[in-house]
Amino acid sequence: MKKSILYFCILFFISLASTAQESQNTNETASSVYTEARYHYYLKTILLFNEYLDTDSGSFNTTELRFLHPIANKAWNLRVDLPLISTNTSSINKTGIGDIGVGVSYIPYLEHKNGGVAFRARVISNSAVDPALGSGKWVVAPAVFYGKYLVMNKLLWISSLENQSSFAGSSNRSDINTTSFENYFMYIFGKNWFAADAAFRYNNTNKGYPNNAFVEFGRKITANDMAYIHPSAAFGNHKSYNWGIEVGMLILF
């Protein structure tokens, strides 16, 4: 299962951290944090990651390029996901472009002391070059996020609720209707961070619970570059994979 929430969490942390620093500098900045936080949240960003997933029938490897660009008054952003997927099973060995996704996010409120709220809407297209590399469906995925610092501003907690529902595509493929509730905790120390995440999902199509959890270690390499690695494991009935590992690089510009 792709960890799209990771990207949101990292940028959410950056925005809150910058707000905290500015609030310490002057009371004037603190009084205008509503505007400043939203301004600093959205930066031109590239995320490149590779995720390997082990399943009962073989493995899936996804190399993905994600691009984010601020729009309007920078309280909004545009996100594009371009996946390259490889399958390796007993009957299928293929590599090609997967389902391309486009999303828009909006952050109406962000304040260092009380946390922040954000909304996101994504559409995942039925664009895979081969049926084995995609869902065969067009999917819409609205989501809401809440984030807040805990424990003397060292621990960041972000909770999210998302639903993915198919609305078009191949009639030979199963409909998609999955709701996920996810909680992400990030502890920051120096240029490093350690994180843990648990996602609880209900798949209304097969009445299953394809849950997963991961731990993560990341480090700020330069002023604009960060890298991370996280292993994950799935649990629950009808889980989508057994275990996985993801490594990535985040570039701000």
Side-chain angles (χ1 to χ4, degrees):
M1 189 70 67
K2 296 179 181 178
K3 313 298 191 310
S4 59
I5 183 65
L6 169 68
Y7 173 67
F8 183 94
C9 293
I10 293 175
L11 287 190
F12 202 102
F13 157 67
I14 293 169
S15 65
L16 286 174
S18 64
T19 303
Q21 184 62 46
E22 291 163 3
S23 298
Q24 293 171 2
N25 291 339
T26 64
N27 292 331
E28 191 172 271
T29 302
S31 66
S32 62
V33 69
Y34 176 82
T35 301
E36 291 301 315
R38 294 195 301 166
Y39 179 83
H40 288 288
Y41 177 76
Y42 292 109
L43 302 171
K44 294 179 183 179
T45 308
I46 291 176
L47 175 64
L48 180 64
F49 69 87
N50 183 267
E51 181 184 45
Y52 173 87
L53 297 178
D54 173 77
T55 73
D56 290 338
S57 59
S59 64
F60 288 82
N61 193 81
T62 301
T63 300
E64 186 159 320
L65 177 66
R66 184 173 297 162
F67 178 71
L68 183 146
H69 195 286
I71 54 178
N73 63 351
K74 297 189 178 181
W76 299 80
N77 72 1
L78 175 68
R79 163 182 154 181
V80 179
D81 294 273
L82 303 173
L84 178 68
I85 299 176
S86 296
T87 64
N88 182 16
T89 69
S90 58
S91 59
I92 301 175
N93 292 278
K94 296 180 179 294
T95 298
I97 300 297
D99 292 337
I100 297 171
V102 176
V104 175
S105 299
Y106 174 60
I107 181 164
Y109 176 78
L110 180 60
E111 199 272 337
H112 179 68
K113 184 177 180 180
N114 298 318
V117 176
F119 300 93
R120 184 183 68 201
R122 289 191 300 147
V123 173
I124 305 168
S125 65
N126 178 20
S127 56
V129 297
D130 187 275
L133 305 177
S135 68
K137 295 287 187 177
W138 284 81
V139 179
V140 61
V144 59
F145 301 84
Y146 174 76
K148 183 177 177 60
Y149 270 123
L150 307 171
V151 192
M152 300 179 65
N153 295 335
K154 288 293 185 180
L155 181 67
L156 176 64
W157 164 53
I158 295 179
S159 183
S160 68
L161 182 65
E162 181 181 60
N163 177 263
Q164 295 190 6
S165 298
S166 57
F167 61 92
S170 173
S171 59
N172 296 322
R173 305 293 293 272
S174 298
D175 290 336
I176 295 173
N177 187 356
T178 301
T179 300
S180 62
F181 175 62
E182 190 161 1
N183 284 276
Y184 177 91
F185 294 90
M186 174 192 283
Y187 178 74
I188 306 104
F189 52 102
K191 293 183 177 181
N192 308 304
W193 74 83
F194 178 79
D197 178 282
F200 299 94
R201 298 180 176 87
Y202 177 67
N203 187 325
N204 193 50
T205 300
N206 61 18
K207 311 302 180 183
Y209 296 88
N211 309 315
N212 77 287
F214 67 79
V215 294
E216 172 185 293
F217 177 76
R219 179 174 175 82
K220 187 175 182 180
I221 301 172
T222 69
N224 297 316
D225 303 321
M226 288 166 281
Y228 70 89
I229 180 171
H230 72 237
S232 66
F235 60 96
N237 64 330
H238 296 286
K239 60 186 180 181
S240 57
Y241 70 102
N242 298 314
W243 60 270
I245 187 166
E246 180 180 322
V247 293
M249 171 72 72
L250 185 74
I251 303 170
L252 309 175
F253 63 99

